[in-house]
Amino acid sequence: MLKSKTFVKKTRKGGVLKVVREHYLRDDIWCGSAACGQCPQDKPVLESDPEIDSSLCGFPHYLIPDTNVVLHQMDVLADSAIRNVIVLQTVQQEVRHRSGTTYQRLRDQSNNPDKNFYVFTNEHHRETYTEREQGESSNDYNDRVIRIATRWYNKHLQENRKDGEAPKVKVVLLTNDRENREKAQKEGLLAYTVHQYVKSLTGNPELVDRLAQVDMGESTDSDIKNEATGRVLFPEHLPLSQLQTGIKSGRFLQGSFMASRENYLEANVLVHGDESRSIFIQGHAHLNRSVNEDAVAVEMLPEDQWKCPSSMVLQDKDGDEETSEPDLGSPKVRSNAIPSGRVVGVIKRNWRPYCGVLQPSGIKEATRHLFMPAERKIPKIRIETRQAETLQGQRIVVSIDGWPRNSRYPKGHFVRKLGEVGDKDTENEVLLLEHDVPHQPFSQAVLNCLPSTPWGITKEDLACRQDLRDLPICSVDPPGCTDIDDALHYLEKPNGNVEVGVHIADVTHFIRPNTPLDQEAANRGNTVYLCDKRIDMVPELLSSNICSLRGKEERFAFSCIWEMTKNAEIVATRFCKSVICSKAAMTYAEAQMRIDDKNRNDAVTFGLRGLNALAKILKKRRIDAGALTLASIEVRFHVDSETHDPIDLETKELRETNSMVEEFMLLANISVAKKILSDFPSCAMLRRHPQPPPSNYDILIKAGKSKGVDIETDTSKSLAVSLDQATIPSEPYFNTLLRIISTRCMMQALYFCSGTLPESDFFHYGLATPIYTHFTSPIRRYSDIIVHRLLAVSINADKSFPDLLDKYKSQALCNNLNFRHKMAQYAGRASVELHTQLFFKNKVTEEEGFVLFVRKNAVQVLIPKFGFEGTIFLKSQDGRGEDSPFVFNEEESSQTAGEVKLRMFDRVVVQITVETSHIQHQKLRIRLVKPEVPGFSVPPVEASDKISQPPVKKVKT
Amino acid sequence: MCHKIRHPRYWLILPFKMAGLEIISDQGYRIDGRRSSELRKVCARMGVFTQADGSAYIEQGNTKALATVYGPHEVRKGRGKIQHDRAVVNCQFSMATFSTGERKSRPKGDRRSQEMSMHLRQTFEAVIVTELFPRSQIDIYVQILQADGGNYCACVNAATLAVIDAGIPMKDYVCACTAGFIQDSPLLDISYVEESAGAPFLTVAMMPKSEQIVLLEMNSRLHADNMEKVLDLATQGCKDVFAVLDRHVRDHVSESHALMTAS
């Protein structure tokens, strides 16, 4: 029975509610040490003879960190040198309340058997529990609890040594709180600050760099000017309790802080709970040390202080401590002012480790350096390191520790280095890390879940599947595609109707729920495509072999088969698990050729023609319903087979066959969505695309007006129609540009669980369909795996399992998938950018471009051939450049210099080079060639070639 | 066996810290320090009142219930209810105004109390050998003095003791216990905090010797794959409760016997 010894009550009082809770104390919680001869434990976590070289503690010892040490020095604790740590429950719980991410990292450490982290449930242990004293603050109480546990451990390990001979293991308390340390020392305990302890580790000097610089208390000399003068640069953050009451009373608003990519002094705060509402923040003091993605509390400014975005592109250029704030405001233009506010406090920091480079420092032996993150939304970070020399020209990872009021930049510490700047593998690693893409090789546990090879279809498999091997099934994909997850067939029926089938790789046959393979795939969420690399969601054996519907091989499929009239009206739909054998795996071009080749009349070609005809009808119907065709330019690099450097690039071509496959995939997705929603009204995984708020379209309408074209945006239908009509014969590229701009007005499409939203929100705006899901790519998207499982249950082909039918878990999964999906897109784009940069290395190219946006000090130019967008700065960044010949006209958004006027959609010729002068932060530089502006534009290539030669050579050596 | 109830000391923890309680830790301890298959501490006393024919008081952790039994006696109100072949069981459930964190007057006739009374009646009609008392009535009154999860279970367990105290023949003890399924693990005898986590839980009343289930209630949806695990745990819980109750009954009987022989 129960071993509850004493029986104590714990209470909570907030408002008028009083909660009484039981608190059982136990005597069956073991110490977890292998050196202990008394506790009857199976597998002690802590080693009996912990080895670490410390000049301070020259004996075997375990560490007990206090809460603040765990919170701030997680990077030190996570180092492989630090082992044999006792994590007290008190500490763990407090960390959990204060920082979710640190708590997660702490848990990872305790689950890692190599680290020997032991969680000691001290609050339920009979001898380490203590009641809080009258008038004792919660911090003091926790400190006391930690000391009691430390004392107990010391005593326990001393008294219960194994057969008397084992070396005496001691316990060392790590705390940076002076009072706590002194009290502990008075009680005869060993207590040090982390800094003392880490510096004493003679075997691991590099750990010192990882120490976080926060509240050192006894901080040494400070050479920072502002610290010396004690000047305060930022207003104080209000304490959390005041923020809470302020938010409750409506005086403050809570939201997530979204820094602007273009201007480091501007940001928007998206108000929680009211997604369409955003508050504009401008200037150092108002931003008040917020970092991108923090949860902050904002106070609205009175309306007469509202500002408008400066329409200026601004990068934090030099690392001076001066807070010279460029003149951003033109508060004269009242009409454009938008709701503005200032940050009064930070509710939750969302800091993560950041990748970037060290900014070279003027002084050679300096230990304080500035770090430039790769992500422009993140401010520079001041770090302290002794290895600056070796870190120059390297990509490194840095964590933020804190941001004092008197420091222009946040303070941080070095975590690790990734490799050389400009090296492709390093840069790939950087972009994967920056986008939080899990890219480690699959673990053995995951690989163990794979079917054994050679794999074949057995009789039992055939018994429970429909045999569709005789059907003329074929697949159409982009060239070089190895993960083929869809195939099609078309047959004419005797009754005049046709049968059309979409066959999707049956991935869920191999990925069973809750296996390590499944969990890994759920975490990865999707396959990430970089230019030269694919980061698979499932191991390659599945993705490019067993699940891939390759030509002339027998494969498992999940089939969706319709009976249609020749007018593409669906008569009946059925779903089944099947065995198929694809007759041909074609590329889009091959399929197109077959359709066009009059001499070919085999079943597959016949089917393709039938499908193509149906697809045209389906597409027209969809567009009539208001589906949008938007544009974005996708480019494809030809990669050198040996160096893997890009040697050429082309924009993707669209053929009829592309849209043929797409139409049937859409149809299959919609049919499946209907089916799973009817069978699982509360837990179907669907995809929605909300209609953007009208204000999103402002920029599009303005752009249209500048060319005298009216764009209507009331419904997706009217938008589609007005986009179709918006053509200017003399400017053939105008329509594409408009579509590119309207793509940017759109909201993100999202996965969601049907039980969490009202049915009216299921709508997919872009496709103009009331319901949609993803069914057709289970090899590369996890959402499709869930949809497959739901569909399999609803046709009785498979069993359900608890998590599948739990709408909260399902929604949590959706949130992860949405995040991964977004990050995969960003990573893909970043990879294109990286390759573009590599492509232009050592080259000077001239290309045609179009002005996409006109800003106060710059114009943004889209270069269609390479599908990227660049900024041409027209004025120096502080915005006061009198040297610039350009005059900005905000009303019609144009820049004028003498005769030349730059406006939206104007055609320009630009020169593209890679800026090599600044090796730390290579970037593409775009300069204006045409129209010529004396004193600003650069001469065409022939002339400039010679000028740019020398630096190019320098780089090569 | 029973511990003296200590006066708790109240202290203030800010409400936002409550967000997202960890119901069970990685080390396998629940908020109150129990492991997943442990009951709360059970204390019981029989024969707490002398006026009634039978009475009992039970504490299961912080859930406290008092049960009194009158009868069998002739049917007083509503002659129409008389059954000619067996006794009528009449149950009344109520909660003390001071039983929860917020003081609330609870009229006896409210929906939830009525439902609870009905469940109790069904439970005890199944266990009491009513055929022995035709044309008569047995009254069971149960009151919750303090509520901290598992109210029904405490009522059933208290009433069982009271019925035994009244000397009314039963087929077997009837013991009740809850088991929840929270954060992917089955938990026995869930407390109020654990109940409020919103996860599904089962309430089971059973005759422990024959393992016959008298009443089974589930508050929300639970996947069939998990049902078995939870039910097994609840069954084990009922048996554990039985062991405690049986010991109390035997202690009580030997005590009374000692008193009687002494006098």
Side-chain angles (χ1 to χ4, degrees), chain A residues 67-208:
Chain A
T67 312
N68 280 321
V69 170
V70 174
L71 278 175
H72 300 310
Q73 310 291 356
M74 200 56 220
D75 282 325
V76 174
L77 293 179
D79 191 277
S80 55
I82 303 286
R83 287 161 57 225
N84 294 299
V85 174
I86 299 163
V87 182
L88 300 179
Q89 180 199 14
T90 316
V91 173
Q92 203 193 26
Q93 290 307 315
E94 218 181 333
V95 168
R96 186 170 184 270
H97 290 315
R98 306 247 301 259
S99 159
T101 43
T102 318
Y103 174 69
Q104 198 49 49
R105 288 183 72 192
L106 186 65
R107 259 177 78 172
D108 291 346
Q109 299 301 326
S110 15
N111 292 336
N112 179 355
D114 297 336
K115 292 283 290 175
N116 308 89
F117 271 49
Y118 179 67
V119 181
F120 181 61
T121 313
N122 62 318
E123 291 184 12
H124 291 289
H125 191 284
R126 191 156 59 125
E127 287 168 47
T128 53
Y129 175 77
T130 179
E131 252 183 279
R132 190 156 152 183
E133 283 163 8
Q134 200 88 48
E136 193 177 25
S137 80
S138 106
N139 276 336
D140 289 347
Y141 170 68
N142 283 341
D143 285 346
R144 192 161 62 85
V145 168
I146 292 168
R147 288 199 303 275
I148 289 174
T150 313
R151 194 164 59 219
W152 178 82
Y153 253 103
N154 264 328
K155 190 161 157 264
H156 179 81
L157 291 175
Q158 206 163 16
E159 286 171 358
N160 302 306
R161 267 173 292 159
K162 242 177 205 164
D163 51 52
E165 276 173 63
K168 250 199 211 171
V169 185
K170 286 188 182 170
V171 188
V172 175
L173 175 65
L174 293 184
T175 172
N176 278 12
D177 182 285
R178 187 187 294 159
E179 201 185 332
N180 189 16
R181 203 165 57 242
E182 281 166 3
K183 275 188 187 157
Q185 280 160 348
K186 220 175 271 172
E187 291 170 23
L189 302 174
L190 291 162
Y192 302 107
T193 66
V194 196
H195 297 78
Q196 285 171 333
Y197 181 78
V198 170
K199 279 174 190 156
S200 80
L201 295 179
T202 42
N204 307 79
E206 76 286 349
L207 260 184
V208 177

Side-chain angles (χ1 to χ4, degrees), chain B residues 55-58 65-67 124 142 153-163 245:
Chain B
S55 60
Y57 167 73
I58 199 164
L66 195 58
F124 282 93
V142 200
C153 305
C155 290
V156 168
N157 297 335
T160 298
L161 293 178
V163 171
L245 296 189

Side-chain angles (χ1 to χ4, degrees), chain A residues 12 24 26 96 103 800 809, chain B residues 20 22 32-33 38 184 223:
Chain A
R12 179 193 75 136
Y24 289 94
R26 325 178 56 105
R96 186 170 184 270
Y103 174 69
S800 75
K809 282 199 178 143
Chain B
E22 191 176 43
D32 53 11
E38 289 174 344
D184 292 328
H223 196 276

Side-chain angles (χ1 to χ4, degrees), chain A residues 569 615-629 663 715-721 724 763 765-769:
Chain A
E569 303 287 350
K616 282 179 185 161
I617 304 173
L618 286 170
K619 183 166 188 183
K620 178 163 186 305
R621 198 177 292 157
R622 210 161 51 79
I623 285 173
D624 287 344
L628 297 171
T629 30
E663 281 316 315
T715 61
S716 60
K717 170 82 180 156
S718 64
L719 177 63
V721 170
D724 282 342
F763 190 69
Y765 179 75
L767 296 172
T769 158

